[in-house]
Amino acid sequence: MAPNPTAPSLNTPTALTRLEDWLSTRSYIQGYSYTDADNTCFGGIVGSPSPKEYPHIYRWHKLIKDIRHEDDVPVTEIPKEDVEFYKIANLSANAPAAPPANAADSDDDLGLFDEDDEEEEARKKDIEARRQATKKPKPGKIAKSYVVLHVKPWDDETDMKELEANVRKIQMDGLAWGASKMVPVGYGINMLEIHMVVEDEKVSIDTLQELIAEDEDHVQSSDISAMQKHS
């Protein structure tokens, strides 16, 4: 998709660095779900972001690309003046664009979004869980929420497979674990990003986080990355 002509390019080192910081604590540009603000920023990026240099942008870019493709709905954008990120990042509309990628980089970009069968299956499950969570419950049905949780280890020596296994061992009435993946946080450390659907009346996220924190050998902390509630 061509960059949004009304917004400053996000393909400058400064803009990409600020967007990477912005998305390090967010799943979406604004709020806890996909909005037109995501489309505005998505349109300001040309090519594929590097998963090594910008892991948070890469994760967000892939998610928005999947949503725009899977949901098959008209894509709309909003003026950059209405996007909170542009206001706080204070990006200049006259900032020089990054130099075009060389041929080798272009070849590398072709494979950035390639996924193996396991990743593709996890992506489909994630999209389906999100769709199910966003459906309005029928009369008499219990309201549910779609939650994305980030679980951080102590260091790069923490066994992340054991950490995830211990998290999934937690079973509660009204809790359904979904897809998961490891997200780089720097210095060789990965954190667990795990998705779930919960019944609001049965599951307390605070209680769930307390249970996760009881695994003191592996877990440093956990944070809610995204939540969509529907009454």
Side-chain angles (χ1 to χ4, degrees):
M1 177 179 180
N4 178 0
T6 65
S9 169
L10 292 179
N11 277 70
T12 66
T14 298
L16 288 172
T17 298
R18 292 176 183 175
L19 183 59
E20 175 71 9
D21 290 341
W22 183 263
L23 291 171
S24 66
T25 58
R26 298 170 175 83
S27 292
Y28 301 93
I29 295 297
Q30 291 181 185
Y32 296 113
S33 61
Y34 165 68
T35 66
D36 290 345
D38 291 290
N39 287 326
T40 298
C41 291
F42 187 92
I45 295 179
V46 178
S48 305
S50 167
K52 293 184 179 180
E53 292 184 73
Y54 307 108
H56 297 296
I57 298 179
Y58 173 77
R59 178 260 309 161
W60 164 82
H61 192 276
K62 183 168 67 171
L63 173 62
I64 301 306
K65 181 180 179 181
D66 289 341
I67 292 174
R68 288 156 63 107
H69 173 72
E70 295 288 344
D71 286 350
D72 193 24
V73 296
V75 175
T76 58
E77 299 178 359
I78 58 177
K80 69 179 181 61
E81 291 80 7
D82 296 332
V83 180
E84 184 180 2
F85 165 69
Y86 279 114
K87 298 177 184 176
I88 295 178
N90 193 28
L91 297 175
S92 169
N94 298 318
N102 57 35
D105 290 339
S106 298
D107 290 340
D108 291 340
D109 285 346
L110 293 176
L112 285 179
F113 288 103
D114 290 341
E115 300 174 344
D116 58 25
D117 292 342
E118 183 177 348
E119 292 175 335
E120 178 66 14
E121 184 64 22
R123 180 184 66 82
K124 291 180 179 179
K125 289 181 179 179
D126 183 39
I127 292 175
E128 180 60 25
R130 177 175 54 78
R131 283 178 171 173
Q132 293 298 327
T134 55
K135 289 181 179 178
K136 292 184 178 180
K138 297 179 181 178
K141 295 291 184 178
I142 297 176
K144 297 181 179 181
S145 293
Y146 175 75
V147 183
V148 179
L149 200 65
H150 284 168
V151 184
K152 300 176 182 177
W154 288 106
D155 50 39
D156 60 346
E157 296 182 358
T158 301
D159 190 324
M160 297 303 293
K161 291 184 178 180
E162 288 186 2
L163 183 151
E164 180 176 356
N166 291 339
V167 169
R168 290 186 180 274
K169 285 179 182 177
I170 300 174
Q171 298 296 320
M172 302 171 68
D173 186 19
L175 167 64
W177 294 111
S180 64
K181 64 179 179 180
M182 298 301 166
V183 179
V185 295
Y187 303 100
I189 301 175
N190 291 322
M191 68 178 174
L192 170 67
E193 180 179 285
I194 188 164
H195 300 225
M196 71 195 82
V197 176
V198 300
E199 294 182 9
D200 296 344
E201 295 296 326
K202 295 181 179 180
V203 179
S204 165
I205 301 300
D206 289 340
T207 299
L208 179 59
Q209 288 184 271
E210 291 175 2
L211 293 174
I212 293 175
E214 290 180 1
D215 183 15
E216 297 179 350
D217 292 336
H218 300 86
V219 177
Q220 180 192 72
S221 63
S222 65
D223 300 292
I224 298 173
S225 173
M227 175 182 289
Q228 296 178 356
K229 287 188 174 294
H230 302 272
S231 57

